[in-house]
Amino acid sequence: MAQKKVPDSITLPWASDFHCHLRQGAMMETVTPMVEQGGVKTVLAMPNLTPPLTTTQMAIDYGKELQLLAPNVKFILTLYLNPALTPEEIKKAAEAGITAVKVYPSGVTTNSDWGVLDFKTYYTTFEAMQSYNMILCLHGECPSDAEKGICILNAEERFLDTLRELHKSFPRLRIVLEHATTKAAVDCVKSLGDTVGCTITAHHLFITVDDWAGQPHHFCKPVAKFPSDRNALREIVTSGHPRFFLGSDSAPHPRSAKQGERPAAGVFTTPVLIPLVATLFERLGCLEKLEGFISTNGRNFYQLPLPTAADGSITLVRSTKLKVPSAYTVKGTGNGANNEPDTVVPFMAGSELAWSINIDWRTFRYTSIGAHSATVSEADVSSSMLTGESDSAGHFKGDANIDNLTRNQCNVAITESNYYVGLDEEEFVDVATNKKKCNTCISIANPANGNKTIIAKVVGISQGGTQKDIFLNQAALTELAGKNIDYVYDITWSYVDCPKA
């Protein structure tokens, strides 16, 4: 049989991630802007915070925090199943647009101490959810119990009878078995009705038990199982089954929490998610199934409209491999040389992925305000910023710390060494020289790098206080790494296409 020809690029709708942990505080401010960097624009945000999101108002308030950090992402909000989640609260949640309720059996994973001990005590809540067309998201594991013979390797399989019973009792209730890791789970979901779906993570498609035993950054709950189980996961995504879809379960923890005596459970994939999945799908020879897995299947199950051309797109390209950073710095942590900042280590840190993302940014428009300077390092995407001051007319102000920005023609060729950032549809003036700047792209004159001009592509933004930080892509960071350059700029800007030569 002739081998499939692998295309040089694939254009897809923005992806949807139906299971993601965005945390709170400094970690939330760090990882939430990375959602778009990973190629995703719709996210089901998990409620296992401290305290957990147990009321409608708590979920709404959390959604507002996330929206400030990533204004263009659609956040699907969830509630944490708990005794206070009465049928009346379910009605209130549904009317407020909250889509799902998450079930954590007590003690099985991060912040699950408030979790469920007896599912039958919540049957009136499930009935209300069924009536209001909400979704029940299940962390499908039984708590470990040596006397019952339950441990982390069989906890998922032992939970499946509960799934079957819930589906039998509430046949119209849409249920998602999240982050399946076993052949038994795949077979169970396939055997049930159309109201039962299943998410699969990127990392569980790659690893088995041997890969997390002794490697804390691959340790998660549920744990990856045996090669035969991984094969079952790969076979179901290769088949394109419509009730199996992407839920990354990306779950960042500080390095110190992952490398301690009892490593925290969670694998971090958010900033590289879609390149990661595409790399695996190419290996499996099923790139034609990629759009269904990362978009169509999940959106259909969640009854969301399918993306249109007006929603923008992402283009995966093979011409430039994506090097996964060794770590990302957690924003707002650390205080000088004697207090190192927290870092979070991504899945497959330091490795190269076969696909990278060239994103159609035309739907973006923001204004950068405030002032900031930062040192660029390869491990710190969030410290690579273009922020600073502008005059009252919104014109760019040059800064004495580095050479002025140089004029860059719009017909620049986008190559491995050229990265661009789009500006607003007006011309900008360097007030120091009174020269107009190109209205679609700028270049950074880097004195610490032999005055080489680097055209920097932006891949995401975050907002903290009075400023918005603009993240550069990893290729630009690698080129700037270790140069200890401060960037202090401010421009009114939006993402636009850069015309190619």
Side-chain angles (χ1 to χ4, degrees):
M1 181 181 295
Q3 189 172 8
K4 292 181 183 178
K5 184 179 183 339
V6 178
D8 294 327
S9 66
I10 307 170
T11 298
L12 300 166
W14 285 86
S16 301
D17 180 359
F18 288 99
H19 183 146
C20 187
H21 296 270
L22 297 170
R23 304 306 194 203
Q24 56 202 122
M27 187 66 80
M28 175 185 69
E29 293 177 6
T30 300
V31 303
T32 304
M34 295 181 184
V35 168
E36 292 163 282
Q37 182 179 338
V40 171
K41 208 169 178 180
T42 299
V43 173
L44 186 79
M46 290 293 103
N48 58 330
L49 309 181
T50 304
L53 303 180
T54 56
T55 69
T56 299
Q57 191 58 52
M58 291 174 74
I60 291 172
D61 290 344
Y62 184 54
K64 291 178 180 178
E65 290 186 80
L66 297 176
Q67 208 70 67
L68 284 174
L69 292 166
N72 295 281
V73 174
K74 175 180 175 57
F75 293 100
I76 303 172
L77 301 178
T78 60
L79 290 174
Y80 189 114
L81 186 65
N82 72 99
L85 198 55
T86 61
E88 293 73 25
E89 188 69 18
I90 289 295
K91 179 178 184 292
K92 182 179 178 182
E95 291 173 346
I98 294 173
T99 299
V101 172
K102 178 64 182 278
V103 174
Y104 293 95
S106 182
V108 297
T109 190
T110 303
N111 294 343
S112 62
D113 295 340
W114 299 272
V116 173
L117 293 171
D118 182 0
F119 278 83
K120 289 189 176 180
T121 62
Y122 293 99
Y123 271 25
T124 57
T125 299
F126 299 155
E127 183 61 49
M129 290 177 60
Q130 182 172 250
S131 299
Y132 287 102
N133 197 30
M134 293 183 73
I135 292 178
L136 183 65
C137 298
L138 298 176
H139 181 116
E141 290 189 290
C142 292
S144 293
D145 187 327
E147 291 187 1
K148 295 179 180 178
I150 302 173
C151 68
I152 60 173
L153 290 176
N154 66 4
E156 179 176 280
E157 188 167 355
R158 294 288 289 269
F159 180 84
L160 297 177
D161 283 342
T162 299
L163 172 61
R164 294 184 184 98
E165 181 61 31
L166 287 171
H167 178 52
K168 179 180 178 182
S169 300
F170 306 97
R172 293 183 293 107
L173 176 63
R174 284 179 291 157
I175 300 173
V176 177
L177 178 66
E178 299 197 310
H179 42 52
T181 62
T182 59
K183 183 178 186 301
V186 170
D187 291 343
C188 178
V189 171
K190 288 169 60 180
S191 73
L192 299 176
D194 290 343
T195 55
V196 179
C198 181
T199 60
I200 295 177
T201 75
H203 53 278
H204 285 129
L205 289 168
F206 279 89
I207 64 175
T208 66
V209 60
D210 287 347
D211 297 300
W212 62 260
Q215 213 310 14
H217 296 290
H218 290 172
F219 173 65
C220 58
K221 292 285 191 75
V223 298
K225 306 301 193 303
F226 303 106
S228 57
D229 294 305
R230 182 183 63 183
N231 288 343
L233 300 181
R234 290 179 170 182
E235 288 169 6
I236 198 66
V237 300
T238 300
S239 76
H241 194 294
R243 289 189 284 119
F244 290 79
F245 45 90
L246 176 64
S248 71
D249 193 20
S250 181
H253 292 280
R255 185 194 295 266
S256 57
K258 291 294 290 181
Q259 297 179 181
E261 291 184 4
R262 294 179 63 86
V267 172
F268 180 51
T269 56
T270 293
V272 295
L273 182 58
I274 301 308
L276 191 65
V277 177
T279 297
L280 191 278
F281 273 50
E282 180 188 340
R283 293 183 193 175
L284 298 178
C286 62
L287 280 171
E288 72 280 2
K289 305 293 186 182
L290 182 59
E291 182 173 343
F293 181 67
I294 69 171
S295 178
T296 309
N297 295 353
R299 296 185 75 88
N300 283 336
F301 191 87
Y302 272 80
Q303 298 178 2
L304 298 175
L306 297 182
T308 66
D311 297 317
S313 60
I314 58 173
T315 298
L316 292 159
V317 295
R318 298 182 80 248
S319 58
T320 304
K321 294 185 183 300
L322 175 64
K323 183 177 180 181
V324 181
S326 57
Y328 296 93
T329 297
V330 180
K331 291 173 64 67
T333 61
N335 184 23
N338 296 324
N339 186 5
E340 292 296 323
D342 288 335
T343 59
V344 56
V345 177
F347 183 60
M348 295 183 70
S351 63
E352 283 191 342
L353 302 179
W355 293 85
S356 60
I357 296 180
N358 180 18
I359 299 177
D360 175 359
W361 294 105
R362 287 174 293 182
T363 58
F364 287 69
R365 187 178 184 89
Y366 302 109
T367 300
S368 174
I369 56 178
H372 190 79
S373 62
T375 299
V376 177
S377 65
E378 184 175 3
D380 186 7
V381 174
S382 64
S383 73
S384 178
M385 304 173 188
L386 300 173
T387 58
E389 300 181 36
S390 64
D391 64 18
S392 59
H395 293 154
F396 168 81
K397 283 188 177 181
D399 187 85
N401 290 342
I402 67 170
D403 291 351
N404 289 330
L405 293 183
T406 58
R407 178 73 179 263
N408 173 58
Q409 300 301 318
C410 283
N411 65 351
V412 62
I414 305 304
T415 67
E416 289 189 11
S417 60
N418 288 337
Y419 309 92
Y420 66 92
V421 53
L423 304 184
D424 260 338
E425 295 176 1
E426 61 176 291
E427 290 185 327
F428 290 81
V429 177
D430 180 342
V431 295
T433 64
N434 202 35
K435 291 182 179 179
K436 291 182 178 180
K437 299 299 177 185
C438 166
N439 70 346
T440 56
C441 44
I442 61 173
S443 57
I444 304 169
N446 183 346
N449 197 21
N451 287 317
K452 180 179 179 181
T453 296
I454 298 174
I455 304 166
K457 181 177 178 181
V458 170
V459 295
I461 67 101
S462 73
Q463 178 175 331
T466 59
Q467 73 182 37
K468 289 187 177 180
D469 305 332
I470 307 173
F471 298 163
L472 302 181
N473 70 343
Q474 182 58 35
L477 287 181
T478 300
E479 195 157 355
L480 295 172
K483 305 303 179 183
N484 296 321
I485 304 164
D486 286 341
Y487 297 96
V488 187
Y489 300 134
D490 189 27
I491 53 177
T492 303
W493 59 276
S494 67
Y495 294 111
V496 296
D497 285 344
C498 182
K500 298 176 176 57

